[in-house]
Amino acid sequence: MESGEAVSLLGEQGLAGLCQFKSYRRRWFLLAAVCLLNCSNAMLWLTFAPVADKTAAYFHISLEMVNWLSIAYLLISIPFGLVATWVLDSLGLRCAVILSAWLNMIGSIIRVFSVLKFLNVGSQSYWYLFTGQCLCALAQPLIIFSPTKLAALWFPDHQRATANTIASMSNPLGILIANVLSPALVPEGKRIPLMLGVYAVPAVTACALATVGIHEKVPPTPPSASATTSTSQPFLAGLKMLLRNKPYIILAVCFGGGIGMFTCFSALLEQILCEKGYSNEFAGLNGALFTVCGLLGAFLLGLYVDRTRKFIESTKICFCLSALASIIFAVTSRFRNQAVMLAITSSLFGFFGFAIYPIAMELAVECSYPVGEGTSTGLIFVASQIEGVILMILLQALTVRVSEDPSSTCALDQDGALDWTTPVLVLAGLCSAMACFYVIFFHTDYKRLCAETNNGDLAKAEDTASADVPEA
């Protein structure tokens, strides 16, 4: 749909309620509930990655089977991602959040069953773990797609990017907590049951908050003009519009690839570093720096974009700088005793890479308006999961078995450790290629902002005309 049609649609649906916009304080409770849920789901996804070797030893499985606990998230969310976009844009935000909260909680509890001795699950313990991960994976698309919808429905236009940033960045906050907490809780394999119990607590809390505290599908009065048309397009019609939207397709491919790369980096970081003699604790620290700096970068960029509306310029600059950081990390990680340099490059990779995430989600809505937010962000997420699965499988296939090295900190199986030199260089090369493609080919109008601006000008004109009419 052209921007002129978007303006017309907004004018038709939003003019009647012009100057009736209102923001409600309870939007902050909704934001808090979505943040906790998003954070919990990310913690459950990355529970095992920082202690992959100890998990493999405890459950008597291979590292590849441990990696499948992360890959399950990617695979399941591909088909269910399309369902989640329909749920969010057709049934509404409340239904999506509560459904995801229950799936997340039930999955976390089933994971605990895998280590309860009185159940005597024996060799089936891994499959309890895997089933729980799959239920949590079903919740992920519903949670990940919610921030843009929440920001559009409940927050005024000058707070949208910030609200979306806060809600979206709770996911990497969960990754941060998992990177720090898992190694701290599991200094040895026998502490795995404690870790699973601790990770279930936020999931249960988030489910209680969402179920008891979220009562409304939409606010009684919208906070902005665009909120009145937030779900203006039917799901299938919106999907067809997106597939014909060239700027959106470029954004989906490039940004989806970026998310896939960050997924691989987070899930495989411990395995990449342990072969060169770095401990699980150091890998967890790198993951924490990666995420903390990413949260800081996203927060600062969100404030900047809320003020300047420079979505495209911001994402292009950050994409290029994150590609540069990925190259430095790929080279540095292949040498021993480079802890300081690795910590710095992980921090820079996170600062510039994560900063793109919420802004790109807002940009997806801007370039695809008036398609519903759930559909426009959901399709990008599905693309990212497809690319993430391909990358995870490709990177593992490119690893090489190496003989036991005295300096290695990996908990080795009988086949030895894995050398990740080729995979990390390929990852850096792909990141650079994606950044170049995005910078050269992505251009778009800000359709939602344009529609709101034109609608405001139209309202002022009508008010002026009404004031000029003489009284009878």
Side-chain angles (χ1 to χ4, degrees):
M1 177 170 296
E2 299 298 326
S3 58
E5 295 178 78
V7 172
S8 175
L9 180 61
L10 185 60
E12 292 172 8
Q13 298 190 15
L15 202 54
L18 205 62
C19 300
Q20 305 293 322
F21 306 135
K22 181 179 179 181
S23 299
Y24 296 86
R25 288 183 180 179
R26 60 182 177 275
R27 71 188 186 276
W28 298 109
F29 174 83
L30 295 174
L31 181 62
V34 170
C35 285
L36 181 58
L37 185 56
N38 207 347
C39 181
S40 168
N41 188 259
M43 289 168 62
L44 294 171
W45 165 55
L46 211 67
T47 302
F48 307 103
V51 288
D53 49 353
K54 293 179 175 65
T55 302
Y58 182 85
F59 288 101
H60 305 290
I61 56 177
S62 65
L63 279 174
E64 285 76 12
M65 293 180 75
V66 175
N67 289 337
W68 273 100
L69 295 172
S70 298
I71 296 174
Y73 260 68
L74 306 179
L75 286 175
I76 289 173
S77 59
I78 292 171
F80 194 68
L82 295 176
V83 177
T85 59
W86 176 83
V87 169
L88 199 58
D89 279 339
S90 300
L91 301 183
L93 181 66
R94 178 177 181 269
C95 177
V97 172
I98 292 177
L99 176 59
S100 63
W102 278 91
L103 286 169
N104 197 55
M105 182 187 71
I106 294 171
S108 70
I109 293 173
I110 290 177
R111 296 190 337 158
V112 176
F113 290 169
S114 67
V115 294
L116 294 179
K117 292 183 179 180
F118 68 85
L119 290 179
N120 196 27
V121 294
S123 61
Q124 299 300 312
S125 59
Y126 174 78
W127 298 109
Y128 276 82
L129 203 62
F130 190 78
T131 301
Q133 285 290 101
C134 290
L135 287 176
C136 296
L138 286 173
Q140 189 190 40
L142 292 165
I143 301 168
I144 292 288
F145 301 171
S146 295
T148 49
K149 175 67 75 174
L150 174 67
L153 288 177
W154 286 89
F155 286 82
D157 56 359
H158 66 279
Q159 293 180 346
R160 275 197 306 245
T162 302
N164 190 21
T165 296
I166 294 171
S168 298
M169 287 299 99
S170 58
N171 185 273
L173 177 61
I175 295 173
L176 162 65
I177 294 172
N179 272 306
V180 173
L181 194 57
S182 289
L185 290 174
V186 188
E188 50 188 349
K190 66 181 182 181
R191 303 288 292 278
I192 293 283
L194 172 64
M195 179 179 70
L196 294 178
V198 168
Y199 278 57
V201 173
V204 174
T205 306
C207 185
L209 285 176
T211 304
V212 174
I214 300 179
H215 305 291
E216 296 167 315
K217 184 178 179 180
V218 294
T221 303
S224 66
S226 62
T228 62
T229 59
S230 183
T231 55
S232 57
Q233 294 298 318
F235 173 70
L236 290 178
L239 201 59
K240 291 178 182 177
M241 290 168 62
L242 293 179
L243 295 176
R244 293 196 296 264
N245 187 329
K246 181 181 175 181
Y248 179 84
I249 294 297
I250 294 172
L251 182 66
V253 171
C254 295
F255 180 53
I259 297 176
M261 292 173 202
F262 275 68
T263 298
C264 293
F265 182 85
S266 299
L268 300 172
L269 182 59
E270 183 267 340
Q271 297 173 54
I272 291 171
L273 295 180
C274 76
E275 190 266 329
K276 294 299 179 182
Y278 299 102
S279 67
N280 283 3
E281 289 73 19
F282 177 74
L285 174 63
N286 269 264
L289 289 171
F290 173 70
T291 309
V292 167
C293 293
L295 293 171
L296 177 62
F299 177 72
L300 294 176
L301 191 63
L303 292 177
Y304 174 75
V305 170
D306 258 340
R307 291 174 178 270
T308 64
R309 310 300 191 194
K310 293 183 178 180
F311 295 91
I312 296 175
E313 297 88 342
S314 300
T315 52
K316 285 186 176 182
I317 291 171
C318 286
F319 210 154
C320 290
L321 292 174
S322 65
L324 179 61
S326 73
I327 294 171
I328 299 172
F329 177 86
V331 175
T332 307
S333 66
R334 298 302 85 205
F335 295 93
R336 306 183 193 280
N337 304 315
Q338 297 294 323
V340 175
M341 194 62 186
L342 282 172
I344 292 172
T345 53
S346 294
S347 300
L348 292 174
F349 193 27
F351 185 87
F352 295 114
F354 270 124
I356 303 171
Y357 181 86
I359 306 307
M361 286 300 191
E362 284 290 307
L363 186 54
V365 176
E366 291 293 342
C367 77
S368 63
Y369 185 84
V371 176
E373 295 84 6
T375 306
S376 60
T377 57
L379 201 59
I380 287 181
F381 183 76
V382 170
S384 75
Q385 301 302 76
I386 293 172
E387 292 176 73
V389 169
I390 294 171
L391 277 174
M392 283 282 280
I393 295 173
L394 173 64
L395 296 180
Q396 290 184 84
L398 291 174
T399 58
V400 178
R401 288 280 178 186
V402 293
S403 58
E404 184 173 347
D405 186 335
S407 64
S408 173
T409 59
C410 301
L412 301 176
D413 58 25
Q414 66 274 16
D415 296 322
L418 295 173
D419 178 73
W420 289 84
T421 301
T422 301
V424 294
L425 292 174
V426 168
L427 193 65
L430 288 172
C431 188
S432 303
M434 287 283 187
C436 292
F437 186 81
Y438 179 73
V439 168
I440 295 170
F441 294 105
F442 182 78
H443 307 280
T444 187
D445 297 323
Y446 300 150
K447 296 180 181 179
R448 180 172 63 176
L449 288 174
C450 181
E452 289 179 333
T453 301
N454 282 277
N455 191 45
D457 293 342
L458 179 59
K460 289 178 182 178
E462 288 200 352
D463 287 344
T464 303
S466 298
D468 290 341
V469 175
E471 294 185 6

